[in-house]
Structure formats: structure tokens, C-alpha cells
């Protein structure tokens, strides 16, 4: 187990101390793991208090939702373990008065028992309480009755709505009714791509194959309802939304809110991709998505995966969702545009002008060479990704794949002349390959193409000189020299072979040998240079890519 902690037994307390130390307006009880608002008034003048909580490991829930307009206090147990009755009672005593306290819990036995009993004991002290249980997990619709479903990420929406109602001065009975009505309007379902590790256990709670996912999981590291083969982001979103809507039976025209919740290890990039598809699917069902949020709201430590929550809205619920809150973890905003704005990028106009002379060249022959390069780069995607991952960011394989696809998509006019082909390929690589590879290839190919354009019948010498100009451009722009462990270490020996009177085949052989030699070089440029000696042992991905496309060209000549 690798975690940035001290001792597993101290995780919860030290986490809460860190949260309170960084967040203005919060306080921490000295003897209980209870985070509360620091501005609690005297007992007799306290409004309805909202108290929630559960086991740790769901951060930013629940302490992140303490603040004006949401929770008054959050009670935290050990990881995935309900807090004790005494801890909940301490929270009630510290925050509630004659107006009472609303206790919001997820539908787990420990939470219901401990919060419920604490509420009974508080009532004996003159503090009225109400208990609201959230059971929003639609994945269990065919397994258990509705009242026995788990409470998961939709609980956060209940916190927001009920918190806004309490801040508006509603009575305990009114706030409880609003919270129960809100909970009944929410359906949630999750998916996991892997497990999580509870600090006290020291090992993952379950294992998944590389091509497996769990559908319909809870939030305590447990398995889901069903294990299936890995699905695309769109298929995951479609499956989750379809299951939620099947359970909720929402008629067309219904206004809804969407909560896309990460389970701890899913980056914002992937959550946004899921959100994009979920929004589209909801709209195809005739629903109007008025509010949407994406992020980590209620997690399962570092579990990779996400959940979707759909909440049926009315004017009152929408207003409460929009009400201000000082809670640090609530993301604000959420207004969904009716028609996301797409504006023209502008830029270059289409230009059918062909540069260079076409007297002695077969466009189809040129295109065959280009397609051979595309095929070779596509076939090497996994190899290039692996090499780049060892010393860089691992995107080279995907970049070369995008380049290959862009070459295949070029129109027939692109291949009219060698000069035109090189310039056009340079432009399309510039547009389709991000990072440094695209600009490097673009400037090299553009300069080489401009050189060839002035010759009516360019031959071997002119192509060799064009190749030299391309290599010089890459060295000039990137600053790399032979021996720096870059693509230049494949390009330079290939150029030397041509200058020595060799053929394109011998140049490809030299590029292959040069790329292999980079395995023994210490990198001096690029991301690999940050690793120093640790990068030694495997060849440079950029140099290997050069050897691959040079070999493809040589084989066609």
C-alpha cells in the first residue's frame, strides 16, 4: 500500500485538522470528529441545524459541505464506518437548539442506527430532531425494495436543497419534508473501473481484469451489481442514464439536474466526456437539463469510476439549488446553456492552388507512398506509446495515429506534385498533432516542399537536398544536435548516408541504427531530459518514429 499518510489510525483526525486549518469559517470539536460552522449563535437563537456524515473516504463529503446554506455540521467516522452515537450527539448539542436538527443519512444500517439513536437522545434533552434517509441507488431496483436501496452521490443534492431551505428560515418539519421530497426525486447509478484501498486494510477490496468494469457499485469499495466488459465513455453514460430513467419514469418535458460524480481517481477530462454524452442522452429523451455539475462530490477514496445522478426539478427545487452557500466543496453555477455555442474558428481559407510542377510525377504513386507511411505509423502505435511512456508523457503513439488518419483523409489534389504533397502533409500534421511533434514535422515538410517547388523535374539530388533542409529546420527550431537523444539521432545518420551516395534504403537503415543507438544516450532535451540517466536503456520514441516512416518510404521506392 502506498498512501501519503502517517498512521492508518490517525488518518481521519489528521484529515479533518487539515481541512479546518485551510478553510475559513469552520471549527472542529476537540474530542469528536465533528466539523461545524464557526459562527454558531447562542443555543436559544439557533435556526434549524442540518447535520450529516458517515464514514471517511468520501471526501469532499461531508466536511466540504459545511457552511452557510448547506450543512451546519458533518460527523465523520473511520474510513467507510459509521460515526458513533456519541459523536453524532455531540454534533447535535454543539449546533442545535429549540428549533431542532435535521439528520440526513445515506441508507446504511450503521448510519440509520447511530444517527437515529443520537436523535432520540437529543430529544430527551429538549432538542427535536428529524431523520431523512437518502436511498437513491437505482442499480438495486431489481434486487431490493426501494426503501432498502443504498444512498450514494445524490445525497449531496439533498444537502444543498435542504440547507438552502434551512437558511431561508423554514421550520424543522418544513425542511424535513423538503429533504424527503428531494431524495424521492433523485436516481443515481455508478460504475467502477477498479477498486480502492482502505488504509487499515492495506490492500484493494476487489480486483478487476484490464477489460472489466463493475456496474452499479456503492461507495464503500464494494463490488457492483454486475461485472461487464470495458465500455467506451459514451456507452457507460448511455447505460447509466438509461437505467436511471427506466427507474424514474420521467415524462418528456421534465426539467432535471445532472450530477456527474467522480469516485476519487477519475480525472476531470474523463468526467467531462461522460457529462457530454449524458447531457445529450437526457435531451434525446425529451428532458430539459436545467442544471449540471461535474467533479468529485462523494468519492470512494481513490476508486476509478463515476456515478450519474438525475434529479427531477420544479421551480422551488431549482431556486434552492441556486441559493448561495459558503460550503467550500459546492461548485456554484451549474446553469446549462440551451444551445452550447459553437463559433467558426476562422483561420485559413481553402486553397485549391497546387504548388510545384507535375510534369513527371504520378499523383497516385505519391499517394501510395503517403498511405504506406500512414499504415506503418498506425501499426506502430502501441510500440511508440510504450517507448514514449518510459521517458515522456506517453502520447507519441496517439499523435502518430492522428497524423496517419490525417494523411489518409487528404484530398486527391494534395498529391498533384511532390512539393504540394509535402506542404499539404505539413499543414495537416500541424492541425492534427498537438505538442511538439506536429510543429516539428510541419516546418520540416513545408521548407522541403518549398525547395522542391522550383524544380520542374526534381531528381534524387533535389530530394536529398530537400531532406537536408527538413533536418536543418528541425535542428534550428528545436535546438537538438546529434547525441541529444531526439529524433535528430535518426534523421542525421540518414542524411549522412544520402550525402555519401547511398540510396533511400541505406538511409532508412541508417535511421534505424541511429534510433537504436539512442537507447544508450543520456537525454539532453525534452521531457526525457528530466529523467537523466533513468531514461537510458530504451530508445527514443521520436527517433524510432522517424525510422518507421523512413522504412515505409524506402520500401515503396
Amino acid at each position: 500500500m502506498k498512501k501519503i499518510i502517517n498512521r492508518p489510525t490517525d488518518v481521519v483526525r489528521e484529515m479533518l485538522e487539515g481541512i479546518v486549518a485551510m478553510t475559513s469559517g469552520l471549527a472542529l470539536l476537540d474530542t469528536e470528529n465533528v466539523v461545524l460552522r464557526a459562527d454558531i449563535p447562542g443555543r436559544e437563537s439557533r435556526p434549524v441545524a442540518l447535520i450529516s456524515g458517515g464514514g471517511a473516504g468520501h471526501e469532499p463529503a461531508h466536511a466540504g459541505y459545511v457552511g452557510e446554506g448547506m450543512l451546519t455540521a458533518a460527523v465523520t467516522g473511520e474510513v467507510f464506518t459509521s460515526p458513533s452515537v456519541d459523536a453524532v450527539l455531540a454534533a447535535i448539542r454543539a449546533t442545535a437548539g429549540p428549533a431542532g436538527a435535521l439528520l440526513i443519512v445515506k441508507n446504511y444500517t450503521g448510519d440509520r442506527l447511530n444517527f437515529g439513536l443520537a436523535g432520540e437522545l437529543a430529544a430527551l434533552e429538549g432538542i427535536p430532531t428529524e431523520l431523512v434517509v437518502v436511498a437513491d441507488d437505482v442499480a438495486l431496483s431489481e434486487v431490493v425494495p426501494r426503501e432498502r436501496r443504498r444512498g450514494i452521490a445524490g445525497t449531496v443534492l439533498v444537502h444543498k436543497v435542504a440547507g438552502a431551505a434551512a437558511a431561508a428560515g423554514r421550520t424543522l418539519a418544513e425542511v424535513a419534508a423538503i429533504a424527503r421530497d428531494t431524495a424521492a426525486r433523485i436516481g443515481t447509478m455508478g460504475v467502477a473501473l477498479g477498486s480502492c484501498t482502505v488504509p487499515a486494510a492495506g490492500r484493494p477490496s476487489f480486483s478487476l481484469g484490464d477489460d472489466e468494469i463493475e456496474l452499479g457499485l456503492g461507495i464503500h469499495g464494494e463490488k457492483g451489481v454486475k461485472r461487464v466488459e470495458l465500455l467506451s465513455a459514451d456507452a457507460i453514460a448511455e447505460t447509466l442514464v438509461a437505467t436511471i430513467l427506466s427507474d424514474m419514469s420521467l415524462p418528456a418535458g421534465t426539467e432535471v439536474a445532472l450530477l456527474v460524480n467522480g469516485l476519487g481517481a477519475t480525472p476531470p477530462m474523463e468526467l467531462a466526456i461522460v457529462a457530454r454524452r449524458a447531457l445529450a442522452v437526457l435531451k434525446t429523451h425529451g428532458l430539459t437539463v436545467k442544471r449540471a455539475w461535474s467533479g468529485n462530490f462523494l468519492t470512494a477514496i481513490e476508486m476509478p469510476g463515476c456515478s450519474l445522478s438525475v434529479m427531477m426539478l420544479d421551480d422551488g427545487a431549482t431556486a434552492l439549488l441556486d441559493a448561495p452557500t459558503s460550503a467550500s466543496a459546492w461548485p456554484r453555477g451549474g446553469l446549462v446553456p440551451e444551445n452550447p455555442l459553437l463559433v467558426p474558428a476562422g483561420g485559413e481559407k481553402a486553397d485549391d492552388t497546387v504548388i510545384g510542377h507535375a510534369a513527371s510525377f504520378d499523383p497516385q504513386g505519391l499517394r501510395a507512398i503517403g498511405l504506406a507511411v500512414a499504415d506503418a505509423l498506425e501499426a506502430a502505435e502501441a510500440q511508440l506509446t510504450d517507448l514514449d511512456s518510459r521517458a515522456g508523457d506517453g502520447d507519441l503513439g496517439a499523435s502518430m495515429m492522428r497524423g496517419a488518419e490525417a494523411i489518409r483523409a487528404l484530398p486527391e489534389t494534395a498529391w498533384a506534385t511532390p512539393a504540394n504533397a509535402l506542404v499539404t502533409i505539413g499543414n495537416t500534421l500541424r492541425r492534427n498533432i498537438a505538442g511538439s511533434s506536429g510543429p516539428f514535422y510541419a516546418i520540416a515538410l513545408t521548407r522541403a516542399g518549398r525547395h522542391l517547388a522550383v524544380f520542374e523535374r526534381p531528381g534524387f539530388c533535389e530530394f536529398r537536398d530537400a531532406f537536408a533542409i527538413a533536418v536543418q529546420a528541425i535542428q534550428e527550431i528545436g535546438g537538438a544536435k546529434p547525441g541529444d537523444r531526439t529524433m535528430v539521432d535518426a534523421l542525421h545518420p540518414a542524411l549522412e548516408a544520402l550525402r555519401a551516395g547511398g540510396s533511400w534504403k541505406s538511409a532508412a537503415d541508417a535511421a534505424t541504427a541511429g534510433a537504436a543507438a539512442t537507447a544508450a544516450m543520456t537525454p539532453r532535451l525534452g521531457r526525457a531530459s528530466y529523467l537523466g540517466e533513468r531514461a537510458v536503456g530504451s530508445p527514443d520514441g521520436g527517433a524510432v518514429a522517424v525510422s518507421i516512416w523512413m522504412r515505409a518510404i524506402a520500401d515503396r521506392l
Side-chain angles (χ1 to χ4, degrees):
M1 178 179 71
K2 291 182 180 179
K3 290 184 178 291
I4 304 177
I5 62 174
N6 295 310
R7 298 190 306 162
T9 54
D10 298 331
V11 164
V12 175
R13 186 66 184 185
E14 291 178 351
M15 172 192 69
L16 296 179
E17 289 172 351
I19 291 172
V20 172
M22 294 185 294
T23 311
S24 177
L26 298 186
L28 180 64
L29 292 187
D30 57 356
T31 60
E32 298 288 353
N33 289 334
V34 176
V35 173
L36 65 158
R37 290 174 55 180
D39 59 351
I40 303 293
R43 187 177 187 279
E44 296 303 314
S45 57
R46 293 173 182 172
V48 173
L50 254 68
I51 301 171
S52 189
H58 304 306
E59 291 68 37
H62 299 81
Y65 302 116
V66 175
E68 183 179 2
M70 284 192 79
L71 299 180
T72 315
V75 193
T76 304
E78 294 302 314
V79 176
F80 297 163
T81 302
S82 175
S84 68
V85 173
D86 287 348
V88 179
L89 184 58
I92 296 172
R93 289 169 174 163
T95 60
L102 178 65
L103 311 179
I104 301 174
V105 300
K106 296 174 291 299
N107 196 20
Y108 297 98
T109 302
D111 290 344
R112 292 198 316 271
L113 285 174
N114 291 329
F115 277 81
L117 180 52
E120 294 295 327
L121 295 175
L124 294 175
E125 299 176 11
I127 304 175
T129 64
E130 291 264 11
L131 183 70
V132 171
V133 178
V134 182
D136 56 321
D137 186 3
V138 303
L140 299 178
S141 59
E142 298 181 1
V143 180
V144 297
R146 180 175 294 273
E147 66 275 8
R148 293 179 59 190
R149 297 180 182 182
R150 295 173 295 205
I152 46 180
T155 308
V156 177
L157 297 172
V158 179
H159 291 164
K160 180 65 186 69
V161 170
R170 305 287 186 92
T171 66
L172 176 59
E174 291 172 332
V175 176
I178 290 170
R180 291 188 182 105
D181 178 66
T182 301
R185 293 168 173 257
I186 300 171
T188 301
M189 185 172 174
V191 60
L193 281 66
S195 183
C196 61
T197 299
V198 176
R203 61 182 183 275
S205 52
F206 63 89
S207 61
L208 278 172
D210 291 341
D211 59 348
E212 295 178 322
I213 60 176
E214 290 276 347
L215 286 173
L217 69 153
I219 52 172
H220 296 117
E222 70 268 51
K223 297 178 182 179
V225 173
K226 181 168 60 173
R227 182 169 295 192
V228 300
E229 291 184 355
L230 179 64
L231 302 173
S232 67
D234 282 0
I236 286 173
E238 291 161 7
T239 300
L240 298 185
V241 171
T243 306
I244 293 169
L245 296 186
S246 175
D247 181 80
M248 297 181 72
S249 301
L250 299 177
T254 301
E255 295 184 347
V256 299
L258 172 68
L259 189 75
V260 182
N261 173 59
L263 296 177
T266 306
M269 173 193 298
E270 295 175 24
L271 295 179
I273 292 171
V274 171
R276 150 198 158 276
R277 185 56 185 160
L279 287 168
V281 174
L282 288 168
K283 291 176 182 178
T284 61
H285 280 80
L287 304 178
T288 302
V289 185
K290 302 292 289 185
R291 301 291 183 271
W293 299 271
S294 175
N296 281 352
F297 296 93
L298 198 147
T299 64
I301 316 181
E302 81 283 23
M303 179 176 279
C306 67
S307 65
L308 300 182
S309 297
V310 176
M311 174 181 170
M312 182 171 59
L313 297 176
D314 57 20
D315 291 342
T318 303
L320 293 171
L321 285 173
D322 291 344
T325 176
S326 64
S328 62
W330 182 253
R332 318 301 193 272
L335 182 65
V336 177
E338 290 186 13
N339 297 298
L341 188 60
L342 297 177
V343 297
E348 303 172 5
K349 295 180 180 179
D351 189 354
D352 294 330
T353 301
V354 176
I355 66 170
H357 302 271
S360 61
F361 287 94
D362 172 21
Q364 291 305 314
L366 286 174
R367 184 172 185 271
I369 294 174
L371 295 181
V373 168
D375 290 343
L377 291 175
E378 180 178 3
E381 179 190 12
Q383 176 191 5
L384 296 176
T385 297
D386 176 62
L387 290 174
D388 197 38
S389 298
R390 299 182 191 184
D393 53 9
D395 68 343
L396 181 61
S399 293
M400 293 298 101
M401 173 66 86
R402 287 194 294 272
E405 292 171 347
I407 291 172
R408 287 199 189 94
L410 289 176
E412 293 292 333
T413 55
W415 310 100
T417 72
N420 198 71
L422 292 180
V423 172
T424 306
I425 292 172
N427 284 332
T428 197
L429 295 185
R430 168 174 58 84
R431 298 186 188 101
N432 288 279
I433 301 180
S436 58
S437 296
F440 274 138
Y441 278 114
I443 194 166
L445 291 166
T446 299
R447 287 191 183 179
R450 286 167 52 198
H451 173 75
L452 290 178
V454 302
F455 299 99
E456 183 174 350
R457 296 179 182 275
F460 177 85
C461 291
E462 288 76 25
F463 280 103
R464 178 197 61 200
D465 293 343
F467 186 75
I469 288 170
V471 175
Q472 181 183 2
I474 289 174
Q475 290 187 259
E476 176 188 320
I477 297 300
K481 303 182 296 296
D484 285 346
R485 197 181 187 273
T486 70
M487 63 193 299
V488 170
D489 290 299
L491 291 167
H492 185 265
L495 176 59
E496 291 300 300
L498 291 174
R499 284 173 170 168
S503 64
W504 289 102
K505 182 181 183 304
S506 60
D509 291 340
T512 300
T518 61
M521 297 178 185
T522 301
R524 298 189 181 95
L525 283 177
R527 285 190 177 92
S529 65
Y530 307 150
L531 298 178
E533 295 292 338
R534 296 180 66 188
V536 175
S538 60
D540 176 70
V544 171
V546 169
S547 70
I548 289 169
W549 59 256
M550 285 207 67
R551 178 67 60 194
I553 292 174
D555 288 346
R556 296 292 305 187
L557 294 176

